[in-house]
Amino acid sequence: MNTVPSSTYFSAPPEWGWLIVFYFFFGGLAGGTYFLAVLIDLFGRAEDRPLARLGYYIAFPCVVLSGLLLTLDLGRPLRLWHMLIESNTWRPMFKLWSPMSVGSWALLIFGIFSLISFLGALVEDDRLEWPAGRRVRPPGVLSGLIGVIGGLFGFYVAGYTGVLLAVTNRPIWSDTPLLGMLFVVSAASISAALMILLAQRSRWTMPGVLALHRMDAWVVALEFVVLIAVMISLGPVFRAWLSAWGLLLFFGVIVVGMLLPLWLYWRKQSGDLNLTTEAALVLVGGFILRLVIVFSAQGV
Amino acid sequence: MAEPMGFYTDTTVCIGCKACEVACKEWNQLPSTNGGLNTLSGDSYDNTRRLDGIHWRHVKFIEQFTDDRKDGRWLLMSDVCKHCVNAPCLEVCPTGAIIRTEFDTVVIQSDTCNGCRDCIAACPFGVIEVNPASGTAQKCTLCYDRLQGGMEPACSKACPTQSIQFGTIRDLRNRAQKRVEQLHQTGEKRAYLYGADEKMLGGLNSFYLLVDKPEVYGLPPDPKMPTRNLKSGSWFSVFGALAVGLMGIINFRNRGAGEHDQEERR
């Protein structure tokens, strides 16, 4: 080992495996769907409300699943609370400069907001009796406030995982500052895709679905640009992806998850409403992206 | 606070006896691998292979031989946690399990660690791993318990050639500098100190005398703090969110009247 591309090549892999890949995927979905639901609530029309509610219906179960996956991944799962409370002083544990520390708090707070919005959506759909629940749905100051604060935490949950990887000394992860950005943009693309898929299943035809679809095409295009920027920013470390992982990244993420859906989208400009294929491809690509990033950096 | 303490390891006098590894395991009651049966590496005389949760000391054998094995050399180095003054592991630890002691050493409190493994990814030297017996991240404590009792660490105590020396950092740096000068005078011009000043992570409280490039010993030439990417990474994420938010606002506000009308016609 006489010449290495980066000083990061001497660290050890933390053995973050499938649980973390799934967490990155469902955490991205949780933050992304909430973020999109808030955008629809704030900037969409009244007839798009069911789409926003769909976002909240996805976000809450995903954040619960995220917490579960993270807990199971710990060497000592029963000590999960040590992330929040200093176990020997009982004071709050918070390190602004440690993404995992801030992320633990963000997940907790986001979980509370996504629960409130989830209940609000149930009330609006007349599936739950809770008089105050109406007030957390628009229009109204309280609903706007909950949306904006919850949406900010949703964005944080969607993106901090990429920053967390960058704030290490592993090859690839810490050789680019762009993983957080990639994860945020990818969270938006997979979340829009899942919302489109479920809206199609319910045969919803409100205009918001088409708007979401068009937005997803823009976001996937942006994601493609960011991924290329990640590759360039890796510099000599990029050679770590001249491997089976690189092939998977190229075919699974770039071709299947980005170029193919974009091509299908442009072909369907004429108003074809079957958007299922593109959405499914974007979801598959988003999952493979996280899989490649988590595993490839630990095999170096 | 007591004066900063640490190790100075002179790799030129290490004979690869692994007494330090054994002493470390005995004192810290670390388990053997494979139920005590030999696990041979198969391509080296070194069968420990690396530092991990149950090997807090590791004598590296750097075996450099020509293909016909007519010529060759051994470099031996007893590796251990560097007890960095600016410790990357301590920086990222989300539970506060990793602390700096009164001896300026870095210790993982096993009763606080929850095994998240962020420190493993943060350590630029690959020192930390999970001890399967405890499920927590573990590494050299610089024998914190012995230090508190006024004793020196087990490894340096056991070292028969004084390759591992224990003492105050000030004293060790003086000793190491003299040794480098002595080696230079006797013709070994390649000798230098790795991590003995503040330039590397604020100083390594376990530093080394080497006679080849750090990479040859499996050491990073330029270890850095993990938080170097925190600000830039966060800002790029914010830009990403702003771009996505803007795309959402544009599409939901101005949803393409054409598509809308088409929808209404259906």
Side-chain angles (χ1 to χ4, degrees):
Chain A
M1 207 186 272
N2 279 345
T3 49
V4 287
S6 162
S7 263
T8 56
Y9 276 61
F10 300 89
S11 58
E15 283 166 28
W16 289 334
W18 285 103
L19 289 171
I20 295 300
V21 174
F22 278 102
Y23 162 60
F24 282 3
F25 186 70
F26 287 109
L29 279 176
T33 49
Y34 195 97
F35 192 70
L36 290 176
V38 171
L39 282 180
I40 295 169
D41 266 346
L42 293 181
F43 299 101
R45 296 182 200 173
E47 67 247 49
D48 291 334
R49 274 300 149 65
L51 208 55
R53 291 200 294 274
L54 175 66
Y56 299 127
Y57 287 143
I58 302 170
F60 179 62
C62 281
V63 78
V64 171
L65 185 61
S66 295
L68 207 67
L69 288 166
L70 282 177
T71 307
L72 287 176
D73 186 66
L74 293 176
R76 299 291 291 262
L78 292 178
R79 294 183 183 175
L80 173 76
W81 60 277
H82 288 199
M83 297 281 194
L84 305 171
I85 307 287
E86 244 181 300
S87 61
N88 41 12
T89 61
W90 297 95
R91 281 193 299 229
M93 181 64 221
F94 183 72
K95 274 186 181 177
L96 190 59
W97 56 92
S98 166
M100 197 181 278
S101 174
V102 183
S104 305
W105 282 100
L107 256 179
L108 179 73
I109 297 170
F110 176 64
I112 295 168
F113 275 93
S114 61
L115 172 64
I116 293 171
S117 299
F118 178 81
L119 294 176
L122 283 176
V123 170
E124 201 174 57
D125 266 337
D126 289 327
R127 293 178 192 176
L128 182 75
E129 279 292 319
W130 178 35
R134 289 267 172 209
R135 295 180 56 207
V136 304
R137 298 292 304 138
V141 181
L142 183 66
S143 74
L145 211 62
I146 289 174
V148 170
I149 300 173
L152 284 176
F153 276 102
F155 142 71
Y156 188 89
V157 166
Y160 93 93
T161 45
V163 180
L164 186 152
L165 293 182
V167 181
T168 64
N169 266 309
R170 277 310 287 167
I172 301 173
W173 295 347
S174 62
D175 290 309
T176 170
L178 297 177
L179 285 186
M181 187 187 200
L182 180 65
F183 277 19
V184 164
V185 177
S186 168
S189 77
I190 57 173
S191 299
L194 183 62
M195 284 166 72
I196 291 167
L197 265 185
L198 295 179
Q200 294 256 298
R201 236 181 112 241
S202 308
R203 300 185 191 287
W204 286 350
T205 52
M206 70 279 275
V209 179
L210 278 174
L212 201 56
H213 182 240
R214 193 173 60 182
M215 177 198 170
D216 204 21
W218 292 22
V219 175
V220 170
L222 174 65
E223 192 183 346
F224 175 72
V225 174
V226 176
L227 181 57
I228 300 297
V230 166
M231 289 173 172
I232 294 169
S233 67
L234 284 176
V237 179
F238 177 73
R239 85 166 83 135
W241 276 343
L242 299 177
S243 61
W245 292 117
L247 278 180
L248 190 59
L249 190 71
F250 181 74
F251 287 106
V253 180
I254 294 180
V255 176
V256 172
M258 294 176 177
L259 299 181
L260 204 56
L262 281 177
W263 180 69
L264 285 173
Y265 171 75
W266 293 119
R267 238 179 41 144
K268 277 183 185 166
Q269 279 285 332
S270 53
D272 183 350
L273 275 176
N274 183 8
L275 316 170
T276 318
T277 321
E278 294 100 300
L281 290 175
V282 169
L283 273 171
V284 170
F287 183 78
I288 298 177
L289 172 74
R290 285 155 178 81
L291 184 144
V292 169
I293 287 177
V294 168
F295 281 109
S296 67
Q298 298 185 86
V300 175
Chain B
M1 190 169 128
E3 213 180 328
M5 308 297 275
F7 292 127
Y8 149 52
T9 305
D10 180 354
T11 62
T12 61
V13 292
C14 177
I15 54 172
C17 69
K18 295 201 178 234
C20 51
E21 275 191 41
V22 176
C24 174
K25 282 226 174 206
E26 284 198 3
W27 179 261
N28 292 299
Q29 299 183 321
L30 293 170
S32 55
T33 47
N34 199 24
L37 293 173
N38 281 332
T39 44
L40 302 177
S41 57
D43 60 354
S44 166
Y45 287 105
D46 168 32
N47 295 306
T48 311
R49 309 301 288 158
R50 62 198 172 107
L51 289 171
D52 60 32
I54 58 169
H55 297 99
W56 298 354
R57 263 279 171 198
H58 169 222
V59 182
K60 282 183 178 171
F61 288 17
I62 298 116
E63 296 145 325
Q64 298 173 321
F65 291 93
T66 54
D67 285 340
D68 59 7
R69 298 187 73 83
K70 278 186 177 159
D71 192 20
R73 72 166 177 172
W74 294 73
L75 292 173
L76 301 162
M77 174 191 145
S78 183
D79 197 13
V80 72
C81 170
K82 312 300 178 288
H83 296 276
C84 318
V85 170
N86 296 324
C89 59
L90 190 153
E91 187 177 47
V92 300
C93 176
T95 63
I98 305 185
I99 54 159
R100 178 166 301 286
T101 71
E102 65 272 34
F103 303 103
D104 207 22
T105 57
V106 180
V107 169
I108 305 178
Q109 304 173 99
S110 210
D111 57 345
T112 304
C113 173
N114 65 9
C116 75
R117 314 193 289 291
D118 206 3
C119 55
I120 299 177
C123 174
F125 304 101
V127 163
I128 313 173
E129 274 194 27
V130 166
N131 181 340
S134 66
T136 61
Q138 292 195 350
K139 67 166 190 74
C140 161
T141 66
L142 217 136
C143 282
Y144 188 32
D145 47 353
R146 288 175 65 98
L147 259 52
Q148 284 174 314
M151 292 185 282
E152 76 168 293
C155 55
S156 58
K157 180 93 179 161
C159 180
T161 65
Q162 290 200 315
S163 170
I164 305 170
Q165 297 186 32
F166 166 77
T168 66
I169 293 299
R170 198 171 17 171
D171 188 28
L172 290 176
R173 282 181 182 172
N174 283 337
R175 252 188 266 174
Q177 203 49 54
K178 280 185 191 141
R179 172 68 176 154
V180 169
E181 283 159 20
Q182 183 197 27
L183 284 167
H184 284 183
Q185 279 164 10
T186 54
E188 181 50 282
K189 302 280 189 205
R190 294 169 301 182
Y192 70 100
L193 297 178
Y194 177 87
D197 56 33
E198 285 77 20
K199 283 180 214 142
M200 190 175 282
L201 302 175
L204 306 185
N205 280 353
S206 172
F207 64 90
Y208 294 83
L209 188 155
L210 307 175
V211 291
D212 207 330
K213 288 188 294 185
E215 301 95 298
V216 173
Y217 293 89
L219 295 168
D222 183 23
K224 295 192 185 85
M225 294 304 278
T227 41
R228 69 187 179 279
N229 290 322
L230 183 61
K231 262 193 192 159
S232 53
S234 305
W235 277 114
F236 278 119
S237 307
V238 170
F239 291 144
L242 286 177
V244 167
L246 209 62
M247 287 175 175
I249 292 170
I250 291 170
N251 278 292
F252 283 106
R253 278 217 136 161
N254 176 23
R255 278 182 310 238
E259 287 171 1
H260 190 203
D261 296 345
Q262 207 171 40
E263 187 56 33
E264 280 178 345
R265 279 199 299 275
R266 275 162 196 265

